[in-house]
Amino acid sequence: MTASSPGGDELVRILAALASPHRMRVVAALTGGRNYVSRLARELGISRALLQVHLRKLESVGLVSSDLELSEDGKALKFYEVVPFDLTLTPRVIQGAASTLTSLDALETDAKKGTE
């Protein structure tokens, strides 16, 4: 994600993804470098299943990326890392983004899907 301002729908999705304390902690933890799910779950003190839900949400909006690798003993490890991003939020950015929003009904439906 670049320093350019996201469109309205994209901004809503990004902010929704970051609106969870768990997801904020995931991004913070991955800022220190890439990590695989089991180790990251232990470090954050949450289950792998819950962590994977949050990682999928962050990946769907482009804030993290994943890569599947095989360990020396043949186990598949899914590594995640933060995708560099620079998001500046100002009233002008919101004004510009708001002018590109699709219908509110579509946004509310997308938001509900993200919380299920």
Side-chain angles (χ1 to χ4, degrees):
M1 193 175 307
T2 64
S4 65
S5 298
D9 295 345
E10 182 183 4
L11 182 59
V12 168
R13 286 189 289 275
I14 292 167
L15 293 176
L18 291 172
S20 161
H22 285 300
R23 289 191 287 269
M24 286 183 64
R25 289 177 59 221
V26 169
V27 170
L30 290 173
T31 299
R34 64 189 221 119
N35 207 341
Y36 62 94
V37 174
S38 294
R39 184 187 310 155
L40 188 57
R42 283 191 303 272
E43 289 175 7
L44 294 173
I46 61 176
S47 72
R48 286 183 299 170
L50 178 59
L51 175 60
Q52 288 174 333
V53 168
H54 292 303
L55 286 166
R56 279 193 298 272
K57 179 72 172 180
L58 291 167
E59 191 170 27
S60 74
V61 298
L63 298 177
V64 302
S65 64
S66 64
D67 189 31
L68 193 60
E69 297 180 16
L70 289 178
S71 67
E72 290 180 14
D73 61 356
K75 291 182 183 176
L77 300 173
K78 193 160 190 179
F79 282 86
Y80 284 87
E81 63 186 329
V82 170
V83 174
F85 64 92
D86 181 5
L87 182 62
T88 302
L89 194 59
T90 66
R92 286 254 188 247
V93 168
I94 292 171
Q95 180 184 35
S99 69
T100 68
L101 287 169
T102 57
S103 75
L104 291 177
D105 292 337
L107 289 174
E108 288 173 358
T109 300
D110 284 348
K112 287 178 184 174
K113 286 180 186 175
T115 59
E116 294 175 352

